Amino acid sequence: MAMASVQLGRQSSMLDSPRSPEAKLGMQVEDLWDVQEPQLSPNDKLNACFESIPVSAFPIAPRGIEIKSDANLAEAVQILAQNKILSAPVVDVDAPEDSTWMDRYIGMVEFAGIAVWILQQSEPSSPRSPSSPSGAESAIAANGMASAAGLGALGPEGASITSGDFFEALTSSEFYKNTKVRDISGSFRWAPFLALQKSNTFLTMLLLLSKYKMKSVPVLDLDDGKIDNIITQSAVIHMLAECTGLHWFESWGSKKLSDIGLPTMSPKQIITVYEDEPVLQAFKLMRKKRIGGIPVIERGGEKAIGNISLRDVQFLLTAPDIYRDYRSITAKNFLIAVRNHLEKHEKRSPMLSGMITCKRDDTVKELIQTLDSEKIQRVYVVDDDGNLEGVITLRDIISRLVHEPRGYFGDFFDGVLPLPENSRV
């Protein structure tokens, strides 16, 4: 399969069209930038600007999707897929109407948690992984309170267990239909989740989305005990893309990726899957290594033919019939089948864009514009021969925008967020 490559960058200007809410927000940063103390470094200036803006100023997401706690997994998957979101708050159907937000919500359900449940079902029978686990046992595994079984011997020779029949049987089973969202919605570190108030600052929000590895941050309206907004990493990147042309953004965005220390990993640190390995191997690696995506590498080479992300598990659950003609679902078969499915139904998806890459000497602005226009979570860095050199995620970009002042969160996070040093989720 030929590797499609999308060129970074697009030409845009804030003067080309009426200013969006994100662009107006960028202008607010611009005004603050101009009045900062001249002796401050550019990074300190940005920190000061973002510390002066409340998160209530961030544009409200167009719709607030919530999932009821008594919805089953099939319903949750459909809601997430149809709305093109990675996660959603879970509302406790048994909570009184006048509940506080702590009692109203029981957590977040996400494709990642559902993927863990799927991996549990794909494991062969063993004393630790019974062939017919109870709902409670599956919930424990999906909640992260007990890890799913290891990668095992699921190499090319075991690919037959990941045939299309397996997923058709799974998604039509009573077990899948009867497992409730509330059974798997505890795979987070907060009860029910870490949220911001409207008065909290942009700097706090940006640090949570970068250094503290949160994919999204709910913003609460304490008066009615409900979520007023959910700010995602993607939404922040979109805001930055809308700031093209502003002095503060151009002074930072014109830098080369290598000049701000990206990518942060060496080629040997990149987690990959070969094209002839079972697609579940890719999802298992993502879960085990705590990464959000994985490149598919041609056998016998170093070039990537595509990317599989954790949210792509939706295609295993919503359209298992597209694999019926495959004896086994290898990573390559998965890419081909999903692309054919998307083209047939004329659906826009990052998977149709092929392998999106960049070079170390591309600028931050070019990368941000590509991440925003292609609606993707990561871009792979390649050399002149197309060999992988690294990966850059949304979190990597945001982490280069701000830094945490000494003592900013006090001891709030001490011992609470011990994730692997090279976590890439």
Side-chain angles (χ1 to χ4, degrees), residues 20-39:
S20 65
E22 291 82 5
K24 292 178 181 178
L25 187 55
M27 290 294 295
Q28 190 174 348
V29 177
E30 183 89 335
D31 292 339
L32 290 168
W33 175 274
D34 291 338
V35 298
Q36 295 301 318
E37 296 293 334
Q39 69 269 21

Side-chain angles (χ1 to χ4, degrees), residues 184-356:
I184 70 164
S185 61
S187 57
F188 37 84
R189 291 155 284 180
W190 314 102
F193 42 64
L194 183 63
L196 294 177
Q197 299 179 32
K198 291 183 176 181
S199 59
N200 288 125
T201 70
F202 257 59
L203 180 59
T204 300
M205 175 264 292
L206 292 172
L207 289 172
L208 291 177
L209 291 175
S210 55
K211 180 177 179 178
Y212 293 99
K213 303 176 176 67
M214 296 181 67
K215 286 285 190 180
S216 60
V217 181
V219 180
L220 292 170
D221 185 334
L222 294 182
D223 292 333
D224 62 8
K226 296 182 180 180
I227 294 175
D228 182 66
N229 196 12
I230 296 181
I231 303 175
T232 65
Q233 292 177 343
S234 297
V236 171
I237 293 299
H238 178 63
M239 181 205 78
L240 294 174
E242 291 292 302
C243 293
T244 299
L246 293 174
H247 174 64
W248 71 267
F249 178 78
E250 293 294 335
S251 65
W252 176 69
S254 61
K255 297 179 180 178
K256 293 182 179 180
L257 297 174
S258 57
D259 292 339
I260 63 170
L262 295 178
T264 60
M265 62 166 53
S266 68
K268 292 182 179 180
Q269 293 176 302
I270 305 174
I271 307 300
T272 63
V273 64
Y274 283 112
E275 60 185 354
D276 57 356
E277 290 185 279
V279 69
L280 274 190
Q281 183 79 338
F283 290 113
K284 287 174 183 289
L285 281 170
M286 282 185 265
R287 177 59 184 174
K288 182 180 181 180
K289 301 295 184 180
R290 296 179 180 269
I291 54 178
I294 193 167
V296 180
I297 306 297
E298 60 186 5
R299 177 64 72 173
E302 297 295 330
K303 293 183 174 60
I305 64 170
N307 173 74
I308 297 176
S309 67
L310 201 54
R311 66 178 172 182
D312 293 333
V313 75
Q314 65 179 288
F315 296 112
L316 296 177
L317 303 175
T318 60
D321 56 296
I322 67 177
Y323 312 106
R324 189 174 292 134
D325 294 335
Y326 291 103
R327 189 183 70 82
S328 64
I329 308 176
T330 63
K332 182 177 181 179
N333 290 343
F334 176 81
L335 292 174
I336 294 174
V338 171
R339 286 170 183 167
N340 290 340
H341 172 76
L342 292 170
E343 289 173 352
K344 179 180 179 180
H345 292 83
E346 298 181 347
K347 293 183 178 180
R348 188 178 186 276
S349 170
M351 290 195 74
L352 291 176
S353 299
M355 191 68 179
I356 299 176

Side-chain angles (χ1 to χ4, degrees), residues 71-270:
N72 61 40
L73 290 190
E75 293 168 335
V77 167
Q78 288 293 340
I79 292 172
L80 294 174
Q82 290 173 2
N83 290 280
K84 299 180 179 179
I85 53 179
L86 299 178
S87 61
V90 179
V91 178
D92 188 350
V93 295
D94 298 321
E97 184 63 31
D98 59 350
S99 298
T100 65
W101 71 272
M102 291 285 287
D103 295 322
R104 173 180 170 81
Y105 299 101
I106 67 173
M108 304 283 284
V109 65
E110 55 184 14
F111 276 129
I114 296 174
V116 173
W117 183 85
I118 293 298
L119 298 185
Q120 178 77 359
Q121 313 318 306
S122 72
E123 293 295 341
S125 298
S126 72
R128 295 186 179 182
S129 181
S131 57
S132 299
S134 67
E137 290 167 331
S138 291
I140 289 174
N143 286 346
M145 298 171 68
S147 62
L151 295 179
L154 193 60
E157 70 283 354
S160 60
I161 73 167
T162 58
S163 65
D165 291 341
F166 169 81
F167 291 103
E168 282 196 292
L170 173 65
T171 55
S172 62
S173 69
E174 290 303 312
F175 187 48
Y176 178 65
K177 295 176 181 177
N178 291 337
T179 302
K180 304 298 183 182
V181 168
R182 59 174 167 249
D183 296 329
I184 70 164
S185 61
S187 57
F188 37 84
R189 291 155 284 180
W190 314 102
F193 42 64
L194 183 63
L196 294 177
Q197 299 179 32
K198 291 183 176 181
S199 59
N200 288 125
T201 70
F202 257 59
L203 180 59
T204 300
M205 175 264 292
L206 292 172
L207 289 172
L208 291 177
L209 291 175
S210 55
K211 180 177 179 178
Y212 293 99
K213 303 176 176 67
M214 296 181 67
K215 286 285 190 180
S216 60
V217 181
V219 180
L220 292 170
D221 185 334
L222 294 182
D223 292 333
D224 62 8
K226 296 182 180 180
I227 294 175
D228 182 66
N229 196 12
I230 296 181
I231 303 175
T232 65
Q233 292 177 343
S234 297
V236 171
I237 293 299
H238 178 63
M239 181 205 78
L240 294 174
E242 291 292 302
C243 293
T244 299
L246 293 174
H247 174 64
W248 71 267
F249 178 78
E250 293 294 335
S251 65
W252 176 69
S254 61
K255 297 179 180 178
K256 293 182 179 180
L257 297 174
S258 57
D259 292 339
I260 63 170
L262 295 178
T264 60
M265 62 166 53
S266 68
K268 292 182 179 180
Q269 293 176 302
I270 305 174

